[in-house]
Amino acid sequence: MISAALQNLLIDKILKIIIKKQINVTGYVIKYSTNKKYYGYNTKQIKKNIYNFKKLSSNKKYYFKVRAYIKQDGKKIYGKWSKSKKVRVK
């Protein structure tokens, strides 16, 4: 079973996302949007379990989800999306 969960969201001048580390995972996909239902969302594929967002608009709410993936036989196998987290960027 492939799963991932957002561990922490720390706000400073940058938004730092820490994902609970999973064993035997190739990478993670972060989905984020300013809309609660993720209309017009963006994604980031990362290899490590930490990512810093630097160009987010201030005074807005952002919603984040994450999922892990494994590369097997040249194909990516994705896990389920984590629960959504809401963050207000100051």
Side-chain angles (χ1 to χ4, degrees):
M1 182 175 166
I2 309 166
S3 65
L6 292 173
Q7 188 175 14
N8 282 328
L9 296 170
L10 305 171
I11 299 175
D12 197 8
K13 290 184 180 179
I14 58 173
L15 179 64
K16 184 176 185 179
I17 296 210
I18 303 169
I19 303 165
K20 285 186 182 177
K21 204 165 193 174
Q22 302 294 317
I23 301 171
N24 299 328
V25 170
T26 307
Y28 302 93
V29 179
I30 301 172
K31 183 182 200 179
Y32 65 100
S33 177
T34 55
N35 186 298
K36 189 176 187 176
K37 295 190 178 184
Y38 291 93
Y39 297 128
Y41 66 86
N42 294 311
T43 59
K44 289 281 184 192
Q45 287 197 353
I46 58 173
K47 300 275 183 187
K48 296 182 180 182
N49 66 326
I50 296 174
Y51 187 78
N52 293 325
F53 284 95
K54 296 177 183 175
K55 295 185 178 180
L56 297 176
S57 300
S58 58
N59 295 325
K60 283 198 172 188
K61 291 179 190 173
Y62 282 90
Y63 299 89
F64 292 88
K65 285 184 179 185
V66 67
R67 69 178 174 179
Y69 69 89
I70 295 174
K71 227 175 190 184
Q72 201 171 50
D73 299 329
K75 295 181 180 181
K76 290 181 183 174
I77 301 170
Y78 292 96
K80 292 182 181 181
W81 286 106
S82 69
K83 291 183 180 179
S84 207
K85 291 265 187 168
K86 178 176 72 171
V87 175
R88 184 173 189 98
V89 179
K90 295 181 179 182

